[in-house]
Amino acid sequence: MATLLSVNVGRPKDVGWNGQTVRTGIYKAPVDGPVRVRRLNLDGDGQGDLAGHGGENRAVLVYQIESYHHWRRHLGRDDLAAGNFGENFTVSGLPDDSVCIGDRYRIGSAEFEVTQPRVTCFRVGMRLGVPNMPSLLVAHRRPGFYLRVITEGHVCAGDPIELTRRGKHRLSVSTVDALLYLPNPDVARMQQAADLTALSPGWAESFRERLAGRADAKPAAWVGFRTMRIDAIRRETTDVTSFELTGAEPLPRPLPGQYVTVRICDAGEPAPLRSYSLSGVPSTRRWRISVKREAGGLVSRWLHAHARVGTRVEIGAPRGEFCLAEGQEPVLLLSAGIGITPLLAMLHQLAATAATRRIVWVHTGRDRSSDPFREEVHSLLAGLPHAERHDLHTAPPGRRTDGSDIAALALPADTTAYVCGPTGFMNDMTAALSAVGIRRVHTEMFSARSAVNPGSVPTSSRRAPHPPPGEPGTGPMVTFSRVGLSVRWSAPHLNLLALAEACDVPTRYSCRSGVCHMCETDLITGEVDYVTEPLDPPGPRSALICCATPRTDLVLDM
């Protein structure tokens, strides 16, 4: 019979790691005697990063003594003890390839349900001193699993573990883990996984996204840059100008909402670049970008000062997942300032297809004179039978768009919202939409994406992106296109993620070992090598920066 061998708890604490401070609850130790199990965790226990750990669906982490034996042999370690993998329950007799999602177990006076495999988090590698441990856990099919507490009660080392119910579809923990993280997953089994009511919502949504094709987005139409000609220029406001671009060969039709990266070779060394949303009707003949002149923007200032009809610029292929989806549900296009541009492309698409769905256009600007595309928007909306327009102005007297404006729209819960503008605006609007019951909310940021650094303790020393400290490197040039920073690679940085962190470029990661794809980044141009081979390699036009180094000069979409 399966047995609970050890109950392990630990309070979150701050740990120094790689020049950062990480708040984590992974340091757990065995406790004697009965322990009360509650809905969110065990008495005496806690999680440092509640976005990735803890909560009702991840209340208790389980790991097997048989896997401890495996890792002692594989790693050549004799110092591994109960709790070292961050688990609350060290057990015998519950292997990952037999335990299924939805299985229920009685331990002591409590009952539990299996909800998901372990989160592929870098902190298990940090705890064990094995950086690629998240990758090893998946590759060796020994992740461990989380439990939901069905009935609160007491547990104690030595308690037998009794199976009380088998899960739907009989999908084991190791099978579900492999379906998400290993290459060539079985589609039928992915459909079964997405159908598991016991599976944690985040995992279920990941499977639904992969099945719908959104997680495996169509790659960019070309690598690097193409030379295009400015064919027309139009001043929209005192600080916004539109530029129409044509190419020597037919263009791919961009998706409404995508952006392109513009590089100006005559504007500096290295050539500065900046990404701009396509603002016109999606077309294979000509594209339009609309550029706001920024005081510190090398590209925007050059375009406003020097660009003429006939000027040639270098353009990257259309990219981005902030795209208008087909459907008949109501759609809200909500923007502020120059955030209007991708939503304008979406409105052009809706007009071109004579959409009959309800369309709500809301734009916030400083005042009427500063609203770009005012007449263009009016013309497009006039041809749509169920469209409405709301213009909000912040001056005078400096009023901000708030939740009351959203509530006044009386939008149904099945509305799909697209939001673009300054970060504060998008955060406020996302919260306001959630407050009225709208869950399908898509956002786009013009500059670097917001950081996702699980457990990292913010510091007051974070600066604007800058070259890394120390002597300049001599390796390939690495350009972070969204922040406009170019630096030479140097060997002390273990990978591109470490280089980005040294430059204070916002980063996203979870496993830091080539498993989760959280750090996957588009390669606008260039090639990489992998210091650790990813379990499921990305496409040839993107890179997992947590385990990649530059083979050639790179332009990264970050």
Side-chain angles (χ1 to χ4, degrees):
M1 174 177 285
T3 305
L4 176 60
L5 301 179
S6 178
V7 179
N8 317 299
V9 300
R11 292 292 190 185
K13 63 180 181 178
D14 292 345
V15 178
W17 176 80
N18 282 8
Q20 304 178 38
T21 300
V22 176
R23 187 156 185 79
T24 178
I26 199 169
Y27 291 84
K28 302 190 186 299
V31 291
D32 296 325
V35 177
R36 178 75 178 178
V37 178
R38 303 185 188 276
R39 183 174 58 87
L40 296 181
N41 50 29
L42 285 67
D43 281 358
D45 192 51
Q47 297 88 13
D49 168 30
L50 293 178
H53 304 270
E56 291 188 15
N57 296 303
R58 296 173 298 213
V60 178
L61 180 60
V62 178
Y63 209 54
Q64 308 88 352
I65 194 66
E66 293 83 0
S67 289
Y68 269 92
H69 298 330
H70 172 82
W71 295 119
R72 286 170 184 145
R73 292 190 300 269
H74 182 78
L75 300 175
R77 299 272 293 265
D78 60 5
D79 61 338
L80 299 178
N84 283 180
F85 281 80
E87 79 276 10
N88 300 110
F89 292 170
T90 311
V91 303
S92 67
L94 292 182
D96 290 331
D97 59 0
S98 297
V99 172
C100 296
I101 303 299
D103 283 357
R104 290 193 177 185
Y105 295 94
R106 179 166 295 280
I107 310 174
S109 60
E111 188 175 14
F112 306 87
E113 183 176 59
V114 179
T115 57
Q116 68 169 74
R118 172 198 295 269
V119 174
T120 56
C121 171
F122 74 96
R123 277 161 289 197
V124 66
M126 178 185 75
R127 171 68 179 85
L128 296 170
V130 183
N132 65 331
M133 199 68 220
S135 175
L136 292 173
L137 291 171
V138 176
H140 288 235
R141 309 294 291 272
R142 295 177 179 272
F145 54 88
Y146 280 100
L147 298 174
R148 175 189 296 118
V149 178
I150 302 299
T151 304
E152 295 185 352
H154 287 86
V155 298
C156 184
D159 283 342
I161 302 174
E162 177 189 359
L163 176 67
T164 61
R165 191 178 79 177
R166 294 310 303 265
K168 182 181 180 181
H169 298 318
R170 303 289 180 88
L171 288 178
S172 72
V173 168
S174 62
T175 295
V176 171
D177 199 53
L179 286 172
L180 190 63
Y181 292 128
L182 294 182
N184 305 313
D186 182 275
V187 172
R189 287 198 159 191
M190 286 178 64
Q191 291 170 333
Q192 289 182 325
D195 183 52
L196 291 171
T197 54
L199 187 64
S200 293
W203 277 67
E205 181 62 22
S206 294
F207 284 122
R208 286 192 289 268
E209 287 182 351
R210 293 200 68 178
L211 289 165
R214 292 193 296 271
D216 298 311
K218 184 178 178 181
W222 67 79
V223 175
F225 293 86
R226 287 185 180 178
T227 300
M228 298 182 69
R229 180 181 185 273
I230 296 177
D231 209 45
I233 300 175
R234 173 175 168 171
R235 178 68 59 88
E236 308 290 355
T237 65
T238 56
D239 59 357
V240 176
T241 299
S242 291
F243 303 90
E244 291 197 355
L245 307 168
T246 58
E249 52 191 286
L251 301 170
R253 186 183 301 276
L255 299 175
Q258 286 191 307
Y259 61 87
V260 295
T261 300
V262 180
R263 183 166 69 180
I264 307 295
C265 293
D266 295 337
E269 180 59 41
L273 41 77
R274 179 74 160 84
S275 295
Y276 296 104
S277 295
L278 294 165
S279 62
V281 59
S283 167
T284 59
R285 293 183 296 112
R286 60 178 57 216
W287 295 342
R288 183 178 72 177
I289 59 172
S290 300
V291 179
K292 180 181 179 181
R293 184 176 57 243
E294 303 283 0
L298 295 178
V299 174
S300 69
R301 288 191 291 113
W302 191 94
L303 287 171
H304 275 257
H306 301 290
R308 304 289 184 268
V309 172
T311 296
R312 298 187 181 277
V313 294
E314 293 191 312
I315 304 293
R319 286 179 167 81
E321 299 176 0
F322 182 71
C323 303
L324 179 69
E326 296 181 358
Q328 292 303 313
E329 74 279 358
V331 59
L332 169 66
L333 303 178
L334 177 58
S335 62
I338 198 60
I340 191 174
T341 53
L343 304 188
L344 186 58
M346 296 181 187
L347 184 59
H348 270 287
Q349 178 69 12
L350 292 166
T353 56
T356 57
R357 62 205 291 194
R358 182 186 176 191
I359 299 165
V360 181
W361 175 273
V362 181
H363 178 67
T364 298
R366 187 172 61 252
D367 52 39
R368 185 184 178 95
S369 66
S370 67
D371 282 354
F373 316 109
R374 184 175 183 83
E375 297 307 317
E376 185 174 335
V377 170
H378 176 78
S379 177
L380 292 169
L381 291 173
L384 293 164
H386 303 294
E388 58 193 83
R389 175 178 184 171
H390 305 269
D391 290 322
L392 305 174
H393 297 131
T394 60
R399 178 183 178 278
R400 294 181 61 183
T401 307
D402 57 26
S404 64
D405 297 307
I406 299 301
L409 298 173
L411 297 164
D414 65 341
T415 298
T416 298
Y418 299 88
V419 187
C420 189
T423 302
F425 169 83
M426 290 194 294
N427 291 340
D428 290 347
M429 294 300 97
T430 299
L433 290 165
S434 177
V436 298
I438 294 175
R439 297 291 179 262
R440 290 200 293 265
V441 180
H442 307 277
T443 60
E444 174 74 318
M445 299 189 71
F446 280 103
S447 57
R449 296 182 178 91
S450 57
V452 179
N453 303 157
S456 179
V457 178
T459 67
S460 58
S461 61
R462 179 172 287 276
R463 299 180 286 162
H466 55 83
E471 291 294 320
T474 58
M477 183 71 75
V478 178
T479 297
F480 302 102
S481 66
R482 286 178 174 252
V483 298
L485 175 67
S486 296
V487 297
R488 290 280 179 189
W489 171 258
S490 58
H493 304 293
L494 299 178
N495 47 55
L496 289 164
L497 174 58
L499 174 64
E501 290 174 329
C503 297
D504 278 322
V505 174
T507 57
R508 296 182 167 199
Y509 59 80
S510 178
C511 72
R512 300 183 72 107
S513 59
V515 181
C516 70
H517 285 233
M518 176 81 73
C519 72
E520 185 168 350
T521 302
D522 272 5
L523 294 174
I524 297 175
T525 185
E527 297 178 342
V528 301
D529 292 314
Y530 285 105
V531 293
T532 301
E533 284 299 321
L535 294 182
D536 186 10
R541 297 173 185 175
S542 61
L544 300 184
I545 64 170
C546 73
C547 51
T549 59
R551 180 187 304 169
T552 65
D553 289 353
L554 292 180
V555 177
L556 298 170
D557 184 28
M558 64 182 295

